[in-house]
Amino acid sequence: MSLTEKLDKIKSPKLQNQRETAVVLSAIEDTLKDQNHGFTPTAYFAALLALLNSAMSPNSIISKDLATSVVYLLDIVTPFVPHALLRSKFSQIITSLRPALTHQDVEAPLLKSSMGCLESLLVAQDSAAWALGQDVVGPRSAMAGLLALAVDPRPKVRKRAQEALTAVLKSPPPSPSLDHPVADMCAETSLRNLSDMSQPTGKKSKGRNHGNEDHQPSLIHALQLVKTVASATGGWPSKKIDFLCEVLLNIAKSSNEYLTIAAFEVFEIIFAGMADEVSSSKLPRLMEVISQLRPSQNDTQLLPPWIAVISRGFDVSAQVSPEETFYKLPETFEMISGFLGSMSHNIRISSSECLISFLSNCVPASAIIEPSVYDEKVFEQLSKVAINLLSVKYQAAWMEVFNVLSAMFDALKWRATPLLDDVVKTVGELRGNDSFNGKKEADALLGAAVQVIGPDVVLDLLPLNLAKPQAGQPGRAWLFPVLRDNVINTSLMHFRSEFVPLSELMFQRVLDNGTGEKNMEIKIFETLVQQIWSLLPGYCSLPLDLTSAFDQSFAELIANILYKQTELRADICKALQMLVETNNEILAIESVEEDLIMQRRITKIDAQKNIDHLAGFAGNLLAVLFNVYSQTLPQYRGYILQCINTYLSITPEKAGELLDTFTKVTTMLEAALAESTIQTQADKQKQKQSADKMPPTSHTLMDLVITLSIYLPRSSFPTLFSLAALILPQSSDPQLQKKAYKLLPRLTASPTGALALEERNSELQQLLLDTASSASAPCRRDRLEAISVLVAHIPASSLHFIPSILSEVVISTKEVNEKARTNAFDLLVLMGRKMEAGGTIVQSQIPHMSADAPNTKATLEEFFTMVSAGLAGSTPHMISASITALTRILYEFRTQLSDRVLEDLVSTMDLFLTSNNREIVRSVLGFVKVAIISLPENIIRPRLQSLVPGLMGWSREHKARFRARVKNIFERMMRRFGFKAIEQWCPEADKKLIQNIRKSRERSKRKKDAAADDGDADEEGKSKTTKRRNRFESEFDRAVYGSGSEDDSDSDAAVDQDSDDGKRNKKGRTYIVEDEDEPLDLLNRKSLANISSTKPVKFKSLLAPGKNRTKAKLNIDGKLVFGGGASDDEDKDTMMLERDPSGQNGSGNTEDPGDEISLEGGINAYVDAIKGRDAVQRGRGGKLKFSNRKEKAKASVAVAGDEMEIDKQEIGRGLREKRGKSGGASRERGRDTVRGGGGRVESGRVGKGSSGRGEMGRRRGRGQWRGRGGMRGGRGGRGTK
């Protein structure tokens, strides 16, 4: 941005605090105009210097506001001033800015602008100025001030000072030195500051005193300053590296995780700055210093970070000088590997990761491809150290050792043999031991060895011992899964020489068993045969000897196995496919220079030779695969068809084999079609019942024709299309018809096929039109795909095909098959785009049109007119399909249509909204929903007067979810147009629904606001930035089928501005559960268990002291005795029943004394639970229904606080009187609750045989109780006091 642009922004300030600056700038420009000076940077600079002297004296700030504005403008102007002028005015400016830079009470804006001026001054200085001492007024003293401000406690000030330091250090004056003249001073100052800050941390950590939090912010600021200096100077001055590394490593062992990370970031910046060629000369010195600071072997705090620094240093060193780093690797590798013997798990993990990093980054590719004598010596040294890691000394770290050895195999590639052969042998022997626990890690290590040195070397070291087992030699069948998962890029001849004879031997043992019952041994032999041939795909992945190993005899063996052993066909086909695909991947690499390590020693020339060699066998292999395909059940044909497709891709066209194969297949297909008879319904039913029955020959041959089609020459396309014309009209065989429709989409996969579709487009159009009546329902999806292919290749002069086929596409939008509906919608959009592109519609060629019909120009509006013609259909199904089609294309092309067309569409749908047919209205609701979401507001708002009443007419319809759909539409209306705009057109009888929607939305918004106040706003912000999980396949599906609740987070302003209710955010509360004896100690970690986000409920122990107890007395017969005075002597023989003061039992119901000991009470409660009025019942469809009457009854029991106090003895006396009157004829249960001090007494009874317990409620102010019992099996009684 130029100076003029910056000053223009100040002249029209948007902030209040910049208006003073605008006034000052205006005054300066007026002065320059009066003095006839131009608005140049130098003129601005001189005027600002004059103002600066009047705003600040050498020792104080005269006018704070004027000084802030002047320095702010000076900060903007100074970068555009010539450097020579800045150097000449350096002393004057520094003297004027001293109060702003040194005063303790100066505000941050003035200080930041002063640092900006200082930055521009320091960048302009030359080497002579930087040579001045720090004790004089010069650049060095100014840098010292910036260094002090770089650790200021104010974040913005600190950041601006660090930016200024970076800008100065990255702009050194011209000199032969790599570093800036002041880089040493900056490094020394920042390092001294870091050392002073880190000393309190080190001392207090040794004394186990954790009160060093006061020093940590300063320490973090000091680390940030070191990072700034290191990043600006391209590393760190070589003379200061020793002390820096020592201080950083001391900080890295801190218990504060942030400090450790910050220390490593400094190392990372230093190493990153040394990765370029300019600063790489400092790297050896840095690595030497770090190596000298090696901590103790048992230092669990300092050793892991030191190892991590070493690892990063070697990584950078390998980028700068790979060969020198590789030569130094054995010594460091041996030193780090010694730490694997540590007792600390963290040290072992750090060491193993460091060693893996060495092997991944420090072994150059040149040493693998063409190793020198010295490279081989380095490999030998590394392998000796690796073999030594398997000794007993490192047994505790064997899991980490296995990871290191796996990395070594990956790094050395094929050079790992014979260097690491002892490792394979040792680990294999360990793996064979049943008591060994690290089998998984050992398998991973052996798998890495198999990948790089090959299975032949591994099996020489660890023989299988299966063919001729010897005494004392264990069998190693466990190697088969390891080989299967890891064999690649090896010798195919090894499979022929090693595993083919073994497979024949095992299979012969299976055959020797004959037809007898298979025992365990025979099943093991069959499993071994399958495991052997499962290795073949790996051997066929980039084999090194394909041209010599894959000969005629091996091809015959493969063909023989494909014919005879069906269980091995999947592995054989995968192997044949891998031979072609892996070599094609090499040919597909676009890089000019070949990377033999990435290409696994196979050059592009070798890959092309391999493909040519396989092409010679393609004809015979395809013949075998065709025969095998015809003999395989449909559910097992997929992999065979993929293999056929692969070998068709490499079959040479000039040889004529492909055309001969196609001719044979088509001839057989025509014969099969001639022999096929029309299937009856009974035949189809029998075919469905027998899943193992082979399909008709015509189906198999048609699959082969489809596979062959994209590889055929153009001369064979007439035969191909005539074959399709022969099959498509045959509706008697839907499956064959379905396969024929797949032929056209298949042709688009090849350029030749796409060209043929364009040439024969008119013939294919007529074919599809003629076969429309014979198309069966199962082939609807594939027929729509075929139509899409033709429409995509249709010329602009043949657009009459679109209106000819349009009715079929529209009606297909109502198909039951979801994929067919999707294809129909996509085809409608494709037709719309074709019509939008322009062209001519020859209406005379449209069926049922007169021969003299005029031609029409193809436009998007014309396409909408065509689709709208279906609205005049004779059936509701056609009308509904047309509305659905219009909805889809309206959503797609809404921005390209004129307002007149949109208004006509919306007004037309208003009429259909009043229809009595549910199918039509259901489609109209989808149209209205899309229109409300996507159409402009000026089109929808005038239609609300008719839309709202029309929609309300269907809000009372519950079938087909009409009510839910209408409610969702109104939610979206209210979100967009506001509540009042909808309410004013709503009928008075239906306004309850609108108000319910408004209240629900407001309630939901209040809950969200409350959650945001609780601190969930950040989480919601994060979730908004992340990509929303898409439950729909397209935006159209979201618009039609999505619910309003999904978009509640969208703009709610329209609803909010119309709601007059005051809203208060309910803030979440936090409750502290305190013990009654002592207060909660918030400093204790266990205090979190006493903090709850919900209001706690006090649960008192049943045996708590002071709890009300009621004495229940038993007579001689063991019956309960109620009421009457009780003497102390009588109390001795009575039984105490625990009672809650509130008279509630555990379930929340009012307790009855008889419940504790009465068997009948328990039985009644059980019967009530399963058969009572509150029991769970089953409704229509077997769904469970739960009653909420009990909750309502509980609410009715609640009474006010003016309850009558009644003597307990009177109640007991009354109960005895009633019991005596009944004479034992009926068993009744009394119920009493006594509550002292304003408590209450309730009594009720339930007639005999009743299954429910009476529920009582007191009539307020009358001393009368009502009891209502269950009505099943008895009569509810009423008790009156």
Side-chain angles (χ1 to χ4, degrees):
M1 187 181 295
S2 64
L3 177 60
T4 304
E5 294 174 344
K6 290 184 177 182
L7 295 178
D8 288 341
K9 290 180 65 176
I10 297 176
K11 293 176 183 177
S12 56
K14 297 181 180 180
L15 300 178
Q16 183 70 24
N17 57 0
Q18 288 186 346
R19 293 185 178 178
E20 181 71 21
T21 307
V23 172
V24 173
L25 178 59
S26 177
I28 291 175
E29 291 183 345
D30 291 343
T31 303
L32 294 177
K33 284 182 181 179
D34 295 341
Q35 297 178 359
N36 296 325
H37 291 294
F39 294 156
T40 61
T42 304
Y44 280 116
F45 182 69
L48 288 170
L49 282 182
L51 277 176
L52 183 63
N53 294 329
S54 61
M56 290 191 294
S57 66
N59 298 320
S60 62
I61 301 175
I62 301 173
S63 174
K64 184 183 70 173
D65 295 337
L66 179 60
T68 302
S69 301
V70 171
V71 176
Y72 180 78
L73 292 172
L74 196 61
D75 182 18
I76 295 175
V77 172
T78 307
F80 300 94
V81 177
H83 286 186
L85 179 59
L86 293 178
R87 285 195 292 268
S88 63
K89 297 291 183 177
F90 181 82
S91 300
Q92 178 185 351
I93 299 174
I94 287 295
T95 303
S96 301
L97 291 177
R98 180 178 296 173
L101 292 170
T102 59
H103 202 278
Q104 295 181 354
D105 299 331
V106 67
E107 295 181 354
L110 177 58
L111 186 56
K112 288 166 60 180
S113 301
S114 302
M115 287 187 288
C117 299
L118 190 58
E119 173 190 333
S120 302
L121 287 174
L122 293 174
V123 169
Q125 302 305 305
D126 54 9
S127 300
W130 286 111
L132 298 175
Q134 191 173 347
D135 53 347
V136 298
V137 178
R140 287 184 176 271
S141 59
M143 283 295 289
L146 276 181
L147 289 169
L149 292 172
V151 291
D152 193 272
R154 290 169 289 183
K156 293 184 178 181
V157 174
R158 189 170 61 250
K159 181 181 178 181
R160 186 64 186 91
Q162 292 170 0
E163 292 175 351
L165 283 173
T166 303
V168 173
L169 292 175
K170 285 187 175 181
S171 304
S175 66
S177 176
L178 298 177
D179 296 331
H180 196 283
V182 80
D184 289 341
M185 187 195 80
C186 293
E188 183 179 357
T189 304
S190 58
L191 185 55
R192 187 190 315 115
N193 192 10
L194 179 63
S195 177
D196 294 340
M197 291 295 110
S198 63
Q199 283 179 2
T201 301
K203 291 179 181 179
K204 292 186 179 183
S205 61
K206 291 179 181 179
R208 299 185 181 273
N209 185 357
H210 300 284
N212 56 350
E213 286 80 2
D214 295 339
H215 298 277
Q216 287 183 359
S218 301
L219 182 57
I220 293 172
H221 300 164
L223 276 170
Q224 185 65 34
L225 177 58
V226 171
K227 287 169 59 177
T228 302
V229 175
S231 61
T233 58
W236 196 260
S238 303
K239 299 178 181 179
K240 310 295 181 182
I241 285 179
D242 306 19
F243 189 45
L244 174 66
C245 295
E246 183 178 354
V247 174
L248 290 177
L249 289 174
N250 185 37
I251 295 173
K253 68 179 182 180
S254 170
S255 59
N256 189 328
E257 183 179 356
Y258 184 83
L259 288 178
T260 304
I261 295 174
F264 278 117
E265 287 178 353
V266 176
F267 274 115
E268 183 71 23
I269 290 173
I270 293 174
F271 283 127
M274 295 181 179
D276 56 355
E277 297 181 359
V278 178
S279 304
S280 60
S281 58
K282 305 175 185 178
L283 186 59
R285 175 58 183 163
L286 177 60
M287 295 301 300
E288 180 183 354
V289 172
I290 295 175
S291 300
Q292 292 174 357
L293 294 174
R294 172 182 173 180
S296 173
Q297 186 169 356
N298 298 321
D299 192 340
T300 57
Q301 283 190 327
L302 193 54
L303 192 56
W306 180 82
I307 292 174
V309 172
I310 288 288
S311 173
R312 177 57 179 153
F314 266 80
D315 183 12
V316 175
S317 180
Q319 299 175 22
V320 177
S321 54
E323 294 184 358
E324 295 180 4
T325 306
F326 178 60
Y327 296 151
K328 295 177 182 178
L329 184 60
E331 181 181 357
T332 309
F333 193 89
E334 183 176 5
M335 176 186 65
I336 299 296
S337 62
F339 296 133
L340 289 172
S342 174
M343 299 300 295
S344 172
H345 182 258
N346 291 336
I347 294 178
R348 295 200 302 268
I349 292 294
S350 299
S351 303
S352 63
E353 292 177 352
C354 180
L355 294 176
I356 293 172
S357 176
F358 286 165
L359 295 169
S360 301
N361 302 320
C362 301
V363 179
S366 58
I368 302 295
I369 299 174
E370 296 179 359
S372 62
V373 178
Y374 200 79
D375 293 340
E376 294 179 352
K377 290 182 179 180
V378 174
F379 286 150
E380 291 178 2
Q381 294 174 3
L382 293 175
S383 62
K384 289 180 180 178
V385 176
I387 295 172
N388 187 39
L389 292 177
L390 292 174
S391 61
V392 181
K393 176 183 177 182
Y394 302 100
Q395 185 173 4
W398 269 358
M399 300 302 104
E400 290 82 11
V401 168
F402 285 171
N403 294 333
V404 173
L405 294 177
S406 299
M408 181 168 285
F409 275 110
D410 293 337
L412 300 187
K413 306 297 182 187
W414 55 89
R415 303 295 176 187
T417 181
L419 299 174
L420 298 178
D421 289 353
D422 291 341
V423 172
V424 175
K425 194 169 183 179
T426 303
V427 175
E429 292 174 354
L430 288 173
R431 172 62 175 81
N433 192 347
D434 293 337
S435 61
F436 183 63
N437 295 326
K439 289 184 172 61
K440 182 179 179 181
E441 290 78 8
D443 287 346
L445 173 56
L446 293 175
V450 169
Q451 287 184 8
V452 295
I453 65 178
D456 49 350
V457 178
V458 173
L459 292 178
D460 288 342
L461 299 171
L462 302 172
L464 293 172
N465 294 328
L466 296 178
K468 298 178 181 180
Q470 301 177 1
Q473 295 287 337
R476 296 187 176 91
W478 53 265
L479 271 174
F480 280 117
V482 177
L483 294 172
R484 179 197 61 207
D485 297 337
N486 296 282
V487 171
I488 188 174
N489 188 223
T490 186
S491 173
L492 182 58
M493 187 61 71
H494 178 259
F495 181 84
R496 295 186 58 183
S497 61
E498 179 74 18
F499 289 105
V500 171
L502 182 60
S503 173
E504 294 174 353
L505 178 62
M506 297 300 169
F507 190 66
Q508 186 61 41
R509 293 180 182 178
V510 175
L511 295 178
D512 293 342
N513 186 56
T515 57
E517 184 179 357
K518 296 181 180 180
N519 54 20
M520 183 60 66
E521 185 178 0
I522 298 302
K523 293 181 179 179
I524 290 175
F525 290 148
E526 290 180 346
T527 303
L528 288 175
V529 171
Q530 294 179 2
Q531 287 184 333
I532 289 171
W533 285 99
S534 68
L535 305 179
L536 184 59
Y539 276 93
C540 292
S541 179
L542 280 183
L544 299 173
D545 55 350
L546 187 145
T547 54
S548 59
F550 196 93
D551 53 11
Q552 185 65 29
S553 60
F554 187 67
E556 292 175 357
L557 174 65
I558 294 295
N560 190 21
I561 294 175
L562 283 172
Y563 279 125
K564 295 183 178 180
Q565 301 188 39
T566 57
E567 66 275 4
L568 302 179
R569 286 177 180 173
D571 291 325
I572 299 297
C573 290
K574 184 179 180 181
L576 292 174
Q577 198 172 343
M578 291 290 288
L579 286 173
V580 179
E581 291 180 353
T582 52
N583 284 282
N584 280 333
E585 288 176 0
I586 299 296
L587 294 174
I589 297 176
E590 298 179 356
S591 61
V592 179
E593 297 182 0
E594 297 191 61
D595 186 355
L596 292 182
I597 292 182
M598 183 184 69
Q599 298 173 197
R600 298 183 179 272
R601 294 175 286 178
I602 301 294
T603 63
K604 292 185 178 181
I605 297 176
D606 295 336
Q608 188 60 52
K609 289 181 180 179
N610 293 338
I611 293 295
D612 296 339
H613 180 75
L614 292 172
F617 294 93
N620 295 330
L621 286 175
L622 285 173
V624 173
L625 290 171
F626 285 164
N627 293 332
V628 172
Y629 183 83
S630 62
Q631 300 170 7
T632 307
L633 293 173
Q635 57 266 33
Y636 305 112
R637 286 179 170 181
Y639 53 85
I640 302 176
L641 204 60
Q642 291 178 1
C643 189
I644 290 173
N645 197 27
T646 300
Y647 277 85
L648 284 173
S649 64
I650 63 171
T651 303
E653 296 182 5
K654 296 181 180 179
E657 296 179 0
L658 195 61
L659 193 57
D660 294 342
T661 303
F662 174 71
T663 303
K664 293 178 183 179
V665 172
T666 52
T667 304
M668 295 172 63
L669 178 58
E670 291 173 355
L673 290 174
E675 295 176 359
S676 62
T677 58
I678 299 176
Q679 287 183 322
T680 63
Q681 189 65 27
D683 296 334
K684 295 179 182 179
Q685 198 69 22
K686 291 179 181 178
Q687 185 175 354
K688 291 180 181 178
Q689 293 176 356
S690 58
D692 296 337
K693 184 179 179 181
M694 294 293 295
T697 307
S698 57
H699 292 192
T700 302
L701 294 174
M702 194 62 198
D703 287 338
L704 298 178
V705 169
I706 294 173
T707 307
L708 284 166
S709 60
I710 61 173
Y711 304 106
L712 294 174
R714 294 184 60 183
S715 59
S716 60
F717 282 148
T719 306
L720 198 63
F721 291 136
S722 62
L723 196 62
L726 180 64
I727 297 175
L728 288 179
Q730 299 182 7
S731 59
S732 59
D733 193 346
Q735 292 299 321
L736 185 62
Q737 195 180 44
K738 188 175 182 180
K739 294 178 185 297
Y741 277 116
K742 290 181 178 180
L743 185 61
L744 296 183
R746 172 72 172 172
L747 290 176
T748 58
S750 67
T752 308
L755 184 61
L757 288 176
E758 294 179 358
E759 293 177 352
R760 297 178 175 271
N761 198 282
S762 58
E763 300 176 14
L764 294 174
Q765 289 177 22
Q766 191 61 41
L767 176 62
L768 290 178
L769 290 174
D770 295 340
T771 56
S773 59
S774 61
S776 57
C779 67
R780 184 69 60 189
R781 183 189 68 179
D782 298 290
R783 176 175 170 84
L784 291 171
E785 288 185 4
I787 296 174
S788 299
V789 169
L790 283 186
V791 171
H793 293 84
I794 195 172
S797 59
S798 300
L799 292 179
H800 61 275
F801 177 68
I802 292 179
S804 302
I805 205 74
L806 183 59
S807 60
E808 180 183 354
V809 180
V810 170
I811 204 71
S812 296
T813 59
K814 302 287 287 186
E815 281 287 331
V816 178
N817 190 314
E818 182 184 359
K819 293 182 179 179
R821 293 197 306 270
T822 303
N823 289 345
F825 286 132
D826 294 341
L827 181 53
L828 283 171
V829 174
L830 180 61
M831 288 178 171
R833 298 198 185 282
K834 273 290 180 182
M835 294 286 288
E836 186 184 14
T840 304
I841 301 175
V842 183
Q843 297 194 72
S844 59
Q845 297 184 12
I846 301 175
H848 310 295
M849 292 288 288
S850 60
D852 56 349
N855 296 340
T856 306
K857 186 178 180 181
T859 61
L860 192 57
E861 294 184 0
E862 180 66 23
F863 179 63
F864 271 82
T865 304
M866 294 177 185
V867 179
S868 301
L871 298 177
S874 58
T875 62
H877 189 71
M878 184 63 195
I879 297 174
S880 175
S882 301
I883 295 173
T884 303
L886 283 171
T887 304
R888 179 66 183 93
I889 60 178
L890 172 67
Y891 184 82
E892 187 70 27
F893 303 105
R894 60 188 183 277
T895 57
Q896 290 96 316
L897 294 174
S898 62
D899 291 349
R900 179 185 59 81
V901 176
L902 296 177
E903 291 173 357
D904 292 344
L905 283 174
V906 176
S907 60
T908 304
M909 293 307 155
D910 271 354
L911 300 177
F912 285 104
L913 194 59
T914 60
S915 172
N916 293 327
N917 188 279
R918 289 192 181 93
E919 185 179 9
I920 295 176
V921 174
R922 187 175 181 178
S923 299
V924 174
L925 292 180
F927 181 93
V928 172
K929 188 174 181 180
V930 170
I932 290 171
I933 292 173
S934 57
L935 294 187
E937 185 176 346
N938 60 342
I939 294 177
I940 300 298
R941 188 177 286 274
R943 308 301 308 180
L944 292 178
Q945 183 177 1
S946 57
L947 279 176
V948 173
L951 291 171
M952 277 301 177
W954 290 95
S955 63
R956 292 176 291 275
E957 180 66 48
H958 290 276
K959 292 184 178 180
R961 299 182 68 249
F962 273 87
R963 181 178 177 85
R965 291 172 183 269
V966 171
K967 185 176 180 181
N968 179 248
I969 291 174
F970 276 117
E971 287 178 359
R972 294 179 180 272
M973 277 186 173
M974 292 169 63
R975 186 182 304 119
R976 189 171 187 191
F977 303 108
F979 172 72
K980 290 183 179 180
I982 308 301
E983 187 184 30
Q984 66 177 340
W985 303 117
C986 180
E988 192 67 29
D990 296 317
K991 286 188 176 181
K992 287 185 178 180
L993 177 63
I994 301 296
Q995 293 180 358
N996 174 262
I997 295 173
R998 177 181 62 83
K999 291 179 180 179
S1000 299
R1001 291 184 55 80
E1002 291 176 354
R1003 189 183 308 117
S1004 175
K1005 192 171 188 305
R1006 285 197 299 269
K1007 289 181 179 179
K1008 288 184 179 181
D1009 294 341
D1013 291 342
D1014 286 341
D1016 294 337
D1018 295 339
E1019 295 297 329
E1020 291 180 3
K1022 292 179 182 178
S1023 63
K1024 289 178 182 178
T1025 57
T1026 57
K1027 185 178 180 180
R1028 183 191 301 176
R1029 182 180 178 185
N1030 192 3
R1031 294 171 45 242
F1032 303 97
E1033 294 184 359
S1034 64
E1035 290 299 322
F1036 173 73
D1037 291 344
R1038 178 184 296 278
V1040 177
Y1041 306 114
S1043 63
S1045 59
E1046 295 174 357
D1047 300 326
D1048 282 347
S1049 58
D1050 298 343
S1051 176
D1052 293 334
V1055 180
D1056 296 340
Q1057 67 185 2
D1058 295 334
S1059 61
D1060 299 326
D1061 299 339
K1063 301 177 181 178
R1064 295 182 179 179
N1065 295 334
K1066 295 183 179 180
K1067 297 185 178 180
R1069 297 179 179 178
T1070 303
Y1071 300 91
I1072 297 178
V1073 184
E1074 277 192 315
D1075 193 359
E1076 295 181 355
D1077 297 335
E1078 58 182 71
L1080 179 65
D1081 183 8
L1082 293 176
L1083 298 179
N1084 191 348
R1085 293 184 178 179
K1086 296 181 180 179
S1087 62
L1088 290 176
N1090 296 67
I1091 298 176
S1092 173
S1093 60
T1094 58
K1095 189 173 182 179
V1097 180
K1098 294 184 179 180
F1099 296 96
K1100 295 186 177 179
S1101 173
L1102 290 176
L1103 300 178
K1107 204 164 193 180
N1108 293 339
R1109 300 186 179 188
T1110 303
K1111 296 181 180 180
K1113 304 172 186 177
L1114 299 177
N1115 59 13
I1116 300 176
D1117 298 330
K1119 295 183 179 180
L1120 285 172
V1121 178
F1122 295 94
S1127 62
D1128 296 338
D1129 296 334
E1130 292 175 341
D1131 292 346
K1132 296 178 181 178
D1133 298 328
T1134 57
M1135 179 173 58
M1136 301 295 295
L1137 293 179
E1138 289 294 338
R1139 303 294 307 276
D1140 192 291
S1142 63
Q1144 300 286 326
N1145 58 16
S1147 62
N1149 298 325
T1150 307
E1151 289 186 349
D1152 190 14
D1155 291 346
E1156 297 292 341
I1157 58 177
S1158 173
L1159 177 62
E1160 181 183 359
I1163 295 175
N1164 288 342
Y1166 173 71
V1167 175
D1168 184 30
I1170 63 175
K1171 293 185 178 180
R1173 60 185 297 168
D1174 298 323
V1176 179
Q1177 299 178 1
R1178 290 189 179 274
R1180 295 181 60 184
K1183 296 183 178 180
L1184 295 177
K1185 292 185 176 180
F1186 298 89
S1187 175
N1188 61 350
R1189 295 176 182 174
K1190 185 180 296 184
E1191 303 297 334
K1192 296 178 180 177
K1194 289 179 186 177
S1196 65
V1197 175
V1199 295
D1202 56 347
E1203 296 173 341
M1204 298 168 55
E1205 296 186 3
I1206 301 174
D1207 187 68
K1208 186 177 69 173
Q1209 295 179 357
E1210 294 181 4
I1211 295 176
R1213 190 179 304 112
L1215 290 174
R1216 284 199 301 273
E1217 292 175 358
K1218 290 180 180 179
R1219 188 181 298 114
K1221 291 179 181 180
S1222 64
S1226 63
R1227 298 183 60 187
E1228 298 178 348
R1229 287 192 293 138
R1231 180 172 190 169
D1232 65 326
T1233 300
V1234 182
R1235 188 172 186 176
R1240 66 185 180 188
V1241 182
E1242 296 178 350
S1243 175
R1245 59 191 177 120
V1246 181
K1248 183 177 179 180
S1250 67
S1251 60
R1253 183 185 302 170
E1255 299 182 12
M1256 280 64 69
R1258 186 175 67 124
R1259 292 185 179 177
R1260 189 166 184 174
R1262 290 187 181 181
Q1264 188 178 25
W1265 290 262
R1266 290 185 304 171
R1268 186 178 61 185
M1271 301 306 293
R1272 185 185 299 274
R1275 179 172 57 87
R1278 173 176 295 181
T1280 305
K1281 176 66 180 173

